[in-house]
Amino acid sequence: MAMRTLARVGFVVSVAVLAMGYGLAANQWGWVPSSVAQRAWSQAEALLTDNPFSYRVPRVYDRKGARTLRPEAVQPGVTLVSSLWKTADGWQPQVRLLDREGAVLHTWTLDADLFAARSYVHGTHLLPGGDLVVNLEYVGTVRLGPCGTVRWRLPKRTHHAVTRADDGSFWIPAQRRGRPTGPLGDAVLPEQLLRVSADGTVLRTIDLLPLLFENDLAAPLFRAHGPQPRGELLHVNDVEPLPASMADAYPRFDAGDLLVSLRDLHLVFVVDPDTGTVRWHADAPFLRQHDPDFLGDGRIGVFDNRPDGTARGTLLGGSRIVVLHLSPDSSPDSTSVRFPTARSGPFYTEAGGTWQSLPNGNLLLGEAQAGRVVEVTADGAPVWEWVRAAQGERVPQVLDATRYALSPAAVAEWPCGADE
């Protein structure tokens, strides 16, 4: 049995390597059939990098499901989460809407035939009426109707985040396919920012590596890994446009400027997408951060992962939410810690993680690698949580968690008609 399993693994890896090799060559030099090669390339990448079992992590919490600690303090609405669920067809990426009790109100299942590749969900945006724009990590973006009809597909290596702009378009991180080029050659994967229209058309592409060099921000690349950096050093994990409704609170920026996070450089910056000018940047006090947000009043909040080499971040104290208070001029900025507080319990995710500032002052926090979503009050006290059910000693990660101002009744009324 062990020999047969090893043989199967060897066969899959061999096919994957051959498919990736041909896919690279076809993509670079236009060999025919490049569309078939592209599907093979996507499938091979998924087999090697998006194995569902590597997506599952050691269990942290013994409990599962939802529990409400202070009903009167919970922000009303439904909670969107993404993860992997084991179905009759095996492990499948799904996006689910949950009520306060953890009951599933709605499910979108992302089948492998959407892009002929297996992957997982990382980056979602729910639209009025039940349409969902969602990334299959490093495989592509798809817009689904409320009952699963595919509105459009974008076969780019999109990943991590989908953020809607004031004009209805979306900003999405991506990696350009093909051979890396630029000042560091093959050392850094070619990360991009894509502006995508509501109908799935790419309207603008911003290449990040030349942007860093042009704005005198390339030094962190070499500080991170010495004179010969290797791997995914840029690793963009979020891009968010400044809404016009908040622009007056940030005198140094304009509406539509982009807030960008590069995890492995510990770098957050704001860039004018029209000119490519970086208007502001910070590389402290966070480590391998995620999900920076404009908060208003000249503030930017950052999910500070703070990995320290321990299983649960015990050396540095776990993950936290850091707020950067931007000065209106050239005077120094200041920082504060919004979470945790003395009333907070343990909270840590080495990678991944989301946070959302809710209308009632609460925070919704995604503890991705613990498979947990928790809502806390302004003083850090937990009022609601939902924990993924474990499979043995492991639990699937929860990479997206967002509260939407919807009622279960409104979700139940989403249409599934002929256009679906």
Side-chain angles (χ1 to χ4, degrees):
M1 180 65 72
M3 291 298 296
R4 287 199 300 270
T5 300
L6 184 61
R8 290 192 193 100
V9 171
F11 174 76
V12 168
V13 171
S14 299
V15 172
V17 170
L18 289 172
M20 283 195 294
Y22 186 85
L24 279 170
N27 187 60
Q28 182 70 20
W29 292 297
W31 293 355
V32 178
S34 60
S35 61
V36 175
Q38 186 61 70
R39 289 196 295 272
W41 162 253
S42 295
Q43 184 65 61
E45 286 181 309
L47 284 169
L48 291 178
T49 63
D50 293 319
N51 187 314
F53 295 96
S54 66
Y55 176 92
R56 294 189 294 150
V57 291
R59 183 177 62 181
V60 174
Y61 300 101
D62 291 330
R63 56 188 181 271
K64 64 180 181 179
R67 63 173 185 159
T68 301
L69 306 175
R70 289 176 52 193
E72 77 287 353
V74 175
Q75 171 67 41
V78 298
T79 304
L80 179 147
V81 296
S82 71
S83 189
L84 286 180
W85 274 268
K86 197 168 187 179
T87 71
D89 297 321
W91 287 96
Q92 287 189 305
Q94 293 183 347
V95 180
R96 295 183 175 186
L97 276 181
L98 310 175
D99 66 13
R100 184 182 296 189
E101 287 70 41
V104 179
L105 303 174
H106 199 82
T107 300
W108 297 263
T109 298
L110 286 91
D111 297 318
D113 60 6
L114 282 171
F115 292 99
R118 288 169 36 180
S119 186
Y120 55 90
V121 170
H122 201 175
T124 58
H125 188 88
L126 180 61
L127 295 163
D131 275 23
L132 181 74
V133 180
V134 56
N135 288 334
L136 276 171
E137 186 83 329
Y138 296 110
V139 174
T141 303
V142 62
R143 178 169 175 168
L144 300 174
C147 297
T149 298
V150 177
R151 310 290 197 196
W152 48 257
R153 297 179 180 88
L154 181 63
K156 303 284 188 179
R157 282 181 55 82
T158 51
H159 57 88
H160 276 86
V162 176
T163 307
R164 196 181 190 196
D166 286 342
D167 65 358
S169 64
F170 303 95
W171 282 98
I172 308 173
Q175 281 182 1
R176 179 171 50 80
R177 296 185 187 274
R179 186 175 180 178
T181 60
L184 294 173
D186 293 343
V188 179
L189 294 173
E191 292 277 4
Q192 300 177 318
L193 308 178
L194 304 183
R195 181 174 167 236
V196 180
S197 71
D199 65 2
T201 302
V202 176
L203 303 174
R204 176 174 297 173
T205 300
I206 299 174
D207 289 303
L208 281 173
L209 188 59
L211 184 147
L212 294 179
F213 274 85
E214 290 162 7
N215 286 276
D216 197 25
L217 283 175
L221 286 166
F222 298 94
R223 285 199 298 266
H225 279 256
Q228 292 183 326
R230 290 291 182 266
E232 198 180 354
L233 286 184
L234 293 183
H235 194 100
V236 56
N237 56 31
D238 200 15
V239 51
E240 298 197 9
L242 175 60
S245 61
M246 285 189 180
D248 288 345
Y250 299 87
R252 295 154 68 178
F253 311 146
D254 292 327
D257 283 356
L258 303 176
L259 176 60
V260 181
S261 170
L262 304 185
R263 184 194 69 180
D264 287 17
L265 299 185
H266 321 287
L267 181 64
V268 172
F269 63 88
V270 173
V271 61
D272 180 337
D274 296 321
T275 66
T277 301
V278 171
R279 299 178 180 270
W280 168 91
H281 71 276
D283 57 5
F286 35 76
L287 293 172
R288 292 172 67 87
Q289 76 292 329
H290 286 73
D291 196 14
D293 291 332
F294 290 110
L295 301 179
D297 298 327
R299 298 172 300 145
I300 290 175
V302 180
F303 191 109
D304 181 10
N305 293 78
R306 291 209 296 177
D308 60 17
T310 65
R312 287 289 294 165
T314 54
L315 184 62
L316 294 179
S319 302
R320 61 184 186 173
I321 306 300
V322 174
V323 177
L324 311 177
H325 304 263
L326 278 59
S327 65
D329 48 37
S330 59
S331 56
D333 300 332
S334 61
T335 64
S336 62
V337 175
R338 187 168 177 182
F339 178 89
T341 70
R343 302 191 63 188
S344 307
F347 183 83
Y348 179 70
T349 179
E350 179 179 345
T354 59
W355 78 291
Q356 180 185 7
S357 187
L358 299 175
N360 66 353
N362 289 358
L363 302 180
L364 188 73
L365 306 170
E367 195 177 0
Q369 292 192 332
R372 176 178 179 242
V373 182
V374 60
E375 181 180 348
V376 300
T377 59
D379 63 1
V383 298
W384 179 87
E385 74 164 8
W386 176 79
V387 179
R388 274 290 273 127
Q391 298 285 328
E393 291 302 312
R394 303 187 76 81
V395 61
Q397 298 184 55
V398 177
L399 293 175
D400 296 277
T402 310
R403 181 70 48 81
Y404 285 92
L406 292 168
S407 67
V411 173
E413 292 176 357
W414 286 342
C416 291
D419 65 337
E420 273 293 290

